[in-house]
Amino acid sequence: MIDRKSLVRRHTVELSEADASCALTVGNGDFAFTTDITGMQTFTRFHDPAAAGSERLALNTTTMSTWGWHTMPNPDGFVLADAMSRHETARGPVEYPDQFSMTALYGGQAADDLRAGTWLHVNPHRLDLGRIGLTLRPGIDAAPETDPSALRNPRQRLDLWSGVLTSVFEYAGAEIKVTTVADPRRARVAFRIESDLLGRGLASVSVRFPYASDGFFQSSDWTAPAKHTSVLAEQADRACLIRRTLDEDAYTVRLDWSRGDLKATDDAHTFALTTSANTLEVVAGFSPHTGPDFEPEGFAPIEREAAAWWQSFWTSGAAVDFTGSSDPRAAELERRVVLSQYLTAVNCSGSLPPQETGLITNSWQGKFHLEMHWWHAAHFATWGRPELLERSMPWYLSILDTARDTARRQHYAGARWPKQTGPDGRESPSDIGALLIWQQAHPLYLLELLYRSHGTPSGREQLVAQYAELVEETASFMAAFAEDRDGDHHLPAPLVPAQECYDAKTTEDPTFELAYWWWGLEIAQRWRERRGLERHKHWRTVQDGLTPPHQDNGRYTAIATAPYLRRDDHPSMLCALGVVPATPLIDAHTMEATLIDVRDTWQWDSAWGWDFPAMAMTAARVGRPDLAVDSLLMDREKNRYLATGHNPQMGSYLPVYLPGNGGLLAAVSLMAAGWEGVGTDCPGFPTDGTWSVRHEGLMVWP
């Protein structure tokens, strides 16, 4: 058996300097608190991407949840119909919500005819629930420190095994120690602060609240104090409630502390907690309701609960150990694997599909992209932790009627899932998102992985019954979407493929989506059989009639219409055999030739973090384990992983990119556990003796 404690603890994160790009997070999938080098949120401006500019990579320190959302006032009463444009199709004219202003997302003005779509695109947006940090002063009447350069000898340690973050540093000639933990089940974070600077009045705790931001990659607005309220509604000896109101949205913060006094300050939306003691314990809980969702608890019980949860997390599910490998890249791959498990558990295992930057900072106004849900969360099932994927799947049921309405508006049967959305499932107007299609099969694939990972027949039966309607409606749309042309079935224009750089009005039959259409319908057929039903005849007709993907010189192109293949963005055709298992549409030898061509000719600076694990999965399935490892560890800017485990993509716009972490875990599980019919262990790793791979608990892939 793998010594899991040793495996995890040899990748403990340790930082020894303040770095704007390196922020550590504690959380539970539905709530997260991201800290600076102090273990709190002390140096807000230092980590603010807007303040950092283009000179350095910066990552906000925020407090976020799956339930915390805000909507700007809508005096014009914009609705989705106001953002529609008409497209001519074989089904007649169809309206898609593709009218919005990209310029406005970066602070410009939207033209009058694009204002509706732009407002709908940016609303709702995820809230930064508040900042809890230290106020450090060199003297009683001195101004607070604003830059971490004032600290000496900082040391920060995130113990992945227990979920405890410990931060120690020196200031004003004294040591300060901060221990930070998140409640594993509630929206709550706890701190223990130890220093004689507390009793001397040189250190205290500040609690500050920003207004919401509808910016493209922004989490908060500190320039609009008149637009929101922060009311100290109830206060006891060592506890208080702060009620927050932002336009029509509200939430509550409960603070409990061990000793001291909390008061509002002269700065709007800022509260100060001071104490005469040398140790201060603070617990902050957040709730979407008018009162707290939980009973008060001190620091120690939350620390114990967090340790128990994380130890259970690491000892359950799967583990992979590369000890004994002679390939010099093995230790780095193991580090990425361990840290990615932690980061995806904290950010991607909640009750909603996650945004691409999780609960750490906002991207695309904090909305989630359903085409990325697979990359965030599929690995939970293959790593033996299906319950973490299951948390988000009921959300699809909650928006099923909305998805049906979308399909009906476009003259289709079934349910069409949105691309970019918030909790209510309403589409975000976009000339890309409104026409993207590869997210359609994701719920089917995720459910299939859940089915295979369930340990008991009764659990599988319950899963099939719970999601039977979703499976039927999803497959009904997919079958209806495929256009019959004299017996050949095509994926017709207008559509946007996974490689998003083609003209939606003319693009047809993308290679990846054709294979994924077959596989998605095949999953739905199997689910019908599991319910005791016959296979659907029309779905079978569509599967059998799907047109073969386009080829050029013995290699697959991205799409079947000119220009056929661009060599930037996602090399999505590789996913047709890799992410998707073998189907009648794809020839393995042709895919191997495509893989080699992509490796040698792609503009890798334009790729994204999940493209590298996607390439590795393809290499494994076509029998090239050497290329699988090379792809997974390719030395490219967008395939680097920081000391914190984060996979940055676009500077301070995307300093975190969790599809890269989730994709890495999916690829490693496929490479180690293999897939049905492969017949060998670790088929994705070379057999020349350079790799020693021990694994336990992984699921065999389809």
Side-chain angles (χ1 to χ4, degrees):
M1 291 181 62
I2 295 172
D3 183 346
R4 299 196 179 198
K5 188 174 184 179
S6 295
L7 169 65
V8 172
R9 279 206 157 142
R10 64 175 170 256
H11 300 292
T12 295
V13 181
E14 297 188 3
L15 304 177
S16 58
E17 63 179 353
D19 183 338
S21 70
C22 289
L24 295 172
T25 304
V26 294
N28 58 32
D30 278 315
F31 170 82
F33 183 89
T34 298
T35 77
D36 60 25
I37 195 68
T38 68
M40 301 179 77
Q41 296 161 336
T42 302
F43 300 110
T44 300
R45 183 171 175 79
F46 178 76
H47 281 272
D48 185 349
S54 60
E55 296 182 0
R56 57 190 172 96
L57 177 65
L59 172 59
N60 261 323
T61 54
T62 59
T63 308
M64 288 189 171
S65 68
T66 51
W67 50 259
W69 295 80
H70 171 260
T71 300
M72 295 291 182
N74 183 13
D76 296 298
F78 294 132
V79 295
L80 196 61
D82 298 328
M84 299 284 183
S85 70
R86 179 170 293 187
H87 293 255
E88 296 301 327
T89 74
R91 306 178 314 284
V94 175
E95 290 188 331
Y96 293 89
D98 57 358
Q99 297 297 295
F100 82 113
S101 171
M102 179 64 74
T103 301
L105 300 184
Y106 289 95
Q109 288 292 115
D112 285 346
D113 61 338
L114 300 180
R115 287 177 58 243
T118 304
W119 189 93
L120 293 160
H121 185 94
V122 303
N123 286 285
H125 36 266
R126 199 180 301 259
L127 276 171
D128 179 352
L129 298 174
R131 307 287 175 91
I132 306 173
L134 291 171
T135 297
L136 302 173
R137 302 175 189 271
I140 294 295
D141 297 323
E145 301 288 356
T146 59
D147 193 283
S149 61
L151 310 183
R152 297 289 176 265
N153 194 27
R155 294 96 69 200
Q156 193 167 46
R157 184 176 188 270
L158 175 59
D159 181 8
L160 304 168
W161 184 257
S162 65
V164 173
L165 175 63
T166 305
S167 309
V168 182
F169 55 92
E170 297 166 12
Y171 176 73
E175 183 177 89
I176 301 179
K177 179 180 179 181
V178 179
T179 308
T180 311
V181 292
D183 189 314
R185 295 176 180 84
R186 304 168 187 88
R188 193 158 60 176
V189 61
F191 312 92
R192 179 188 288 128
I193 308 160
E194 301 170 77
S195 177
D196 63 6
L197 294 178
L198 290 167
R200 290 161 54 193
L202 302 182
S204 59
V205 172
S206 68
V207 182
R208 300 185 299 135
F209 299 102
Y211 185 59
S213 172
D214 60 1
F216 206 9
F217 296 108
Q218 297 173 17
S219 303
S220 51
D221 181 355
W222 297 94
T223 68
K227 291 185 177 180
H228 57 124
T229 62
S230 305
V231 178
L232 192 58
E234 299 179 26
Q235 188 165 8
D237 183 31
R238 290 177 292 174
C240 75
L241 291 183
I242 300 173
R243 293 214 168 95
R244 295 272 297 131
T245 304
L246 303 88
D247 303 307
E248 298 299 318
D249 301 294
Y251 64 97
T252 302
V253 182
R254 173 171 179 141
L255 297 174
D256 293 271
W257 57 90
S258 56
R259 182 178 175 182
D261 297 301
L262 182 134
K263 296 180 180 179
T265 72
D266 293 337
D267 294 330
H269 311 289
T270 300
F271 301 84
L273 175 58
T274 59
T275 184
S276 59
N278 291 339
T279 298
L280 176 62
E281 294 181 353
V282 183
V283 177
F286 299 80
S287 168
H289 306 119
T290 56
D293 293 332
F294 31 72
E295 293 299 317
E297 236 175 347
F299 176 88
I302 295 174
E303 183 182 35
R304 287 194 297 269
E305 291 170 25
W309 193 93
W310 281 106
Q311 289 171 28
S312 175
F313 172 85
W314 292 114
T315 54
S316 66
V320 178
D321 188 334
F322 296 118
T323 301
S325 299
S326 60
D327 191 306
R329 301 169 295 179
E332 171 60 11
L333 180 56
E334 186 181 275
R335 183 186 77 90
R336 295 182 182 189
V337 165
V338 171
L339 290 179
S340 294
Q341 289 178 80
Y342 177 85
L343 290 172
T344 53
V346 166
N347 290 283
C348 304
S349 66
S351 56
L352 296 179
Q355 66 168 318
E356 296 186 29
T357 48
L359 297 172
I360 296 172
T361 189
N362 270 354
S363 55
W364 291 275
Q365 293 85 27
K367 293 185 179 179
F368 33 95
H369 293 174
L370 291 190
E371 85 278 16
M372 290 293 101
H373 193 192
W374 192 98
W375 294 99
H376 284 289
H379 67 88
F380 287 131
T382 66
W383 280 77
R385 300 184 182 106
E387 69 280 0
L388 299 186
L389 169 58
E390 279 190 271
R391 290 178 180 177
S392 59
M393 294 307 294
W395 175 81
Y396 286 94
L397 295 176
S398 76
I399 70 156
L400 183 55
D401 284 343
T402 301
R404 283 194 186 102
D405 288 343
T406 300
R408 189 179 304 114
R409 187 183 72 236
Q410 298 171 6
H411 312 317
Y412 291 120
R416 179 169 186 164
W417 304 107
K419 186 267 196 211
Q420 177 176 316
T421 188
D424 63 356
R426 191 259 295 154
E427 291 186 87
S428 296
S430 166
D431 54 352
I432 291 175
L435 298 165
L436 202 74
I437 64 169
W438 65 290
Q439 74 272 22
Q440 298 309 314
H442 278 353
L444 301 175
Y445 202 164
L446 293 173
L447 287 170
E448 180 67 10
L449 294 177
L450 282 176
Y451 181 89
R452 291 165 180 257
S453 63
H454 260 288
T456 65
S458 61
R460 292 191 290 271
E461 290 175 7
Q462 182 179 352
L463 187 76
V464 169
Q466 181 179 0
Y467 290 99
E469 185 179 16
L470 182 150
V471 170
E472 287 284 314
E473 293 291 84
T474 302
S476 293
F477 169 79
M478 294 176 66
F481 185 85
E483 192 172 286
D484 185 354
R485 300 174 187 168
D486 298 325
D488 289 333
H489 287 77
H490 297 262
L491 303 183
L495 67 78
V496 172
Q499 187 185 6
E500 297 175 355
C501 52
Y502 299 99
D503 182 359
K505 295 179 180 179
T506 59
T507 297
E508 296 196 337
D509 292 328
T511 295
F512 169 33
E513 284 81 346
L514 282 168
Y516 207 6
W517 237 245
W518 190 97
W519 171 234
L521 290 171
E522 179 62 21
I523 293 170
Q525 298 280 33
R526 296 178 186 183
W527 276 58
R528 284 180 64 86
E529 292 175 331
R530 291 163 186 165
R531 294 164 56 208
L533 303 175
E534 293 183 354
R535 287 192 161 222
H536 198 291
K537 292 181 180 179
H538 177 59
W539 299 354
R540 170 52 61 194
T541 298
V542 173
Q543 285 181 282
D544 292 343
L546 283 169
T547 190
H550 184 266
Q551 297 184 33
D552 180 36
N553 292 323
R555 298 183 293 267
Y556 290 115
T557 60
I559 60 177
T561 48
Y564 302 109
L565 177 63
R566 287 180 47 168
R567 298 182 183 275
D568 60 342
D569 197 55
H570 307 297
S572 61
M573 59 280 190
L574 297 181
C575 297
L577 180 57
V579 172
V580 175
T583 68
L585 292 170
I586 302 297
D587 174 72
H589 295 294
T590 305
M591 185 58 77
E592 182 181 1
T594 307
L595 170 70
I596 294 170
D597 180 64
V598 166
R599 179 199 63 180
D600 293 342
T601 65
W602 209 256
Q603 297 175 28
W604 287 110
D605 289 344
S606 70
W608 293 72
W610 59 269
D611 292 323
F612 302 95
M615 188 176 178
M617 296 175 81
T618 300
R621 289 207 193 249
V622 300
R624 293 296 305 269
D626 55 329
L627 294 185
V629 172
D630 288 348
S631 301
L632 203 57
L633 292 162
M634 188 182 294
D635 184 16
R636 299 289 179 174
E637 178 69 16
K638 290 186 178 178
N639 197 38
R640 64 190 177 106
Y641 286 70
L642 304 181
T644 54
H646 290 313
N647 173 218
Q649 300 293 295
M650 294 166 55
S652 294
Y653 287 124
L654 277 180
V656 174
Y657 191 64
L658 289 157
N661 298 96
L664 173 90
L665 294 174
V668 169
S669 67
L670 177 86
M671 292 162 63
W675 53 93
E676 290 178 342
V678 69
T680 59
D681 190 39
C682 298
F685 290 93
T687 57
D688 59 2
T690 58
W691 283 86
S692 174
V693 183
R694 290 192 299 149
H695 64 89
E696 57 191 28
L698 293 172
M699 186 192 85
V700 175
W701 282 71

